[in-house]
Amino acid sequence: MAKRDYYEVLGVNRNASEAEIKKAYRRLAVKYHPDKNPGNKEAEETFKEVSEAYAVLVDNQKRATYDQFGHAGMDGRGGGGFSSGGFGGSPFEDIFGDIFGDIFSGGGSSRRGRGQRGDDLRYNLEVTFEEAAFGTEKSVKIPRHHSCEACGGSGAKAGTSPTTCSTCNGMGQVRYQQGFFQMTRPCPDCGGSGTQIQDPCPECRGTGRVKAKRNLSLKIPAGVETGTRLKLSGEGESGVHGGPAGDLYVVITVAEHPIFKRDGRSVICEIPISFVQAALGCELEVPTLDGKVKLKVPSGTQSGKVLKLAGKGISDIHGYRRGDQLVVLRVETPTQLTGRQKELLEEFAREGGEEVNPMGKGFFEKVKEMFD
């Protein structure tokens, strides 16, 4: 399914100011935030879509690129590509930390403490027309952070342990007064983790995570098309302080085919035939995704006539039956005629009289009626 326009996602016009974009994002983020809609997958996907749109439109450089090239400028199409944080995580917590801290945590312990979810990742994958039609399996290498084995993800050097933060007493957040309201924000000394590391792990430098490439085998189902998004749960960035891993989103781009085009489940193929073949009828060998098949062309075929090969199209991604192949016949008019060929055609025209081109005759009769 194609992506929605980012301006449409946020509900703002293309000339919206930065303040209007931020206001629209605040409203939608509060409405669809996962903490406010637990277990609601639709709300979660909408929140990710809204966050992705905001990340582009609030950045002047990214917004200019998007305005000029659309989603193609953001996707890096044309082969394998990788980006982080495009579908979620916590890129906006610095802006809305105060608001979300009270709304969603209820004044309790910080969401960021001890169990911060890893960021979602995105991988752009290009497949051939045939691979998209029949499905395939691809091996890819995904660069991502995973839990440090040396320290077990604690961030502390082997043999030591993190200590409770004395500033927030392990809560991960501190309270402060703002007017009549009591607000909370992540602890400035421990960054919201609730702990401090006195002796950092030399392998991960105290972060609890190291970066490495992970080999994955991706099963691409039959029927995918450009823009199809496959979700691999738990294959994103590893969580912080024992938090769950994010998800990996594989976004498909289907390469163009030199012969075939696609329209839904239908495969379209244009075949050139000669004037003689069209007039007398013939039998052609037509290429399909399954190999060549014989196709009977009736006599008197006009250019643009469409013949159907049932079941030679593309399967639905949900496993429904295959579509059809539509063969569009294009009659080629000869351009280099010998003298004898011209004589034969002139004789043919004289023999046929007005019936030589019945479709043309009908057209000129209508023109005559208009002006008489």
Side-chain angles (χ1 to χ4, degrees), residues 126 140 279 326 362:
E126 183 175 271
V140 298
L326 305 179

Side-chain angles (χ1 to χ4, degrees), residues 58-79:
V58 81
D59 184 307
N60 291 334
Q61 185 174 352
K62 290 180 180 178
R63 183 177 179 180
T65 301
Y66 176 76
D67 286 346
Q68 185 174 2
F69 301 105
H71 291 299
M74 302 292 103
D75 292 348
R77 292 177 181 171

Side-chain angles (χ1 to χ4, degrees), residues 32 39-47:
Y32 294 108
N40 188 331
K41 293 295 182 183
E42 185 176 350
E44 180 183 348
E45 292 300 321
T46 301
F47 178 77

Side-chain angles (χ1 to χ4, degrees), residues 10-323:
L10 294 182
V12 298
N13 60 50
R14 303 189 77 85
N15 297 321
S17 65
E18 183 176 339
E20 290 173 326
I21 291 172
K22 287 184 176 180
K23 182 178 179 181
Y25 172 73
R26 280 192 179 93
R27 176 176 56 81
L28 294 171
V30 170
K31 181 178 179 181
Y32 294 108
H33 197 281
D35 285 1
K36 197 174 181 183
N37 301 273
N40 188 331
K41 293 295 182 183
E42 185 176 350
E44 180 183 348
E45 292 300 321
T46 301
F47 178 77
K48 290 175 181 178
E49 184 182 38
V50 168
S51 298
E52 182 182 353
Y54 174 78
V56 172
L57 299 186
V58 81
D59 184 307
N60 291 334
Q61 185 174 352
K62 290 180 180 178
R63 183 177 179 180
T65 301
Y66 176 76
D67 286 346
Q68 185 174 2
F69 301 105
H71 291 299
M74 302 292 103
D75 292 348
R77 292 177 181 171
F82 170 82
S83 61
S84 173
F87 286 95
S90 55
F92 307 103
E93 287 184 0
D94 56 336
I95 301 176
F96 303 111
D98 291 346
I99 298 174
F100 291 158
D102 276 353
I103 292 177
F104 301 119
S105 69
S109 60
S110 171
R111 291 167 46 239
R112 300 180 66 185
R114 302 187 186 85
Q116 185 180 348
R117 182 182 184 275
D119 285 342
D120 292 338
L121 299 180
R122 171 189 179 126
Y123 187 84
N124 296 328
L125 179 66
E126 183 175 271
V127 298
T128 66
F129 194 93
E130 290 83 356
E131 288 173 335
F134 297 114
T136 186
E137 191 165 322
K138 292 281 191 179
S139 294
V140 298
K141 292 183 177 180
I142 307 295
R144 67 170 194 173
H145 288 92
H146 64 86
S147 181
C148 176
E149 295 181 1
C151 64
S154 69
K157 185 177 180 180
T160 68
S161 300
T163 59
T164 301
C165 176
S166 58
T167 302
C168 65
N169 294 320
M171 296 297 292
Q173 58 184 202
V174 293
R175 297 177 180 273
Y176 67 100
Q177 199 75 23
Q178 185 170 321
F180 294 102
F181 301 98
Q182 188 178 61
M183 311 292 283
T184 60
R185 64 171 43 158
C187 176
D189 291 335
C190 67
S193 67
T195 59
Q196 292 179 315
I197 298 173
Q198 305 299 328
D199 197 357
C201 170
E203 293 294 324
C204 64
R205 298 181 181 179
T207 63
R209 302 190 302 174
V210 292
K211 194 166 189 176
K213 289 186 177 180
R214 175 174 170 79
N215 293 321
L216 289 177
S217 180
L218 302 178
K219 289 187 177 180
I220 311 299
V224 295
E225 54 188 318
T226 294
T228 298
R229 191 171 67 170
L230 307 177
K231 177 182 177 181
L232 282 75
S233 299
E235 293 294 348
E237 297 275 25
S238 64
V240 179
H241 304 295
D247 301 325
L248 171 65
Y249 290 86
V250 179
V251 182
I252 303 295
T253 298
V254 180
E256 291 188 2
H257 195 279
I259 297 175
F260 303 121
K261 294 185 183 298
R262 178 176 177 177
D263 183 10
R265 289 189 295 155
S266 297
V267 171
I268 300 172
C269 180
E270 293 193 358
I271 303 292
I273 61 174
S274 69
F275 166 74
V276 175
Q277 288 174 314
L280 302 180
C282 64
E283 189 173 71
L284 300 175
E285 271 198 340
V286 176
T288 73
L289 291 172
D290 302 303
K292 292 182 179 180
V293 299
K294 292 187 180 297
L295 177 66
K296 193 169 184 179
V297 177
S299 60
T301 292
Q302 301 297 321
S303 186
K305 183 176 179 61
V306 178
L307 301 178
K308 183 173 73 173
L309 295 173
K312 295 296 183 181
I314 295 176
S315 299
D316 185 272
I317 194 171
H318 301 294
Y320 302 141
R321 70 174 184 85
R322 288 179 64 178

Side-chain angles (χ1 to χ4, degrees), residues 363-372:
F363 172 77
F364 289 112
E365 285 179 347
K366 291 177 182 178
V367 172
K368 184 177 179 181
E369 290 175 1
M370 287 177 60
F371 293 99
D372 285 349

Side-chain angles (χ1 to χ4, degrees), residues 330-349:
R330 299 296 182 192
V331 180
E332 293 185 325
T333 302
T335 56
Q336 296 180 344
L337 299 174
T338 65
R340 178 57 179 157
Q341 287 174 324
K342 290 180 180 179
E343 289 177 5
L344 290 172
L345 285 176
E346 289 170 355
E347 183 179 343
F348 172 80

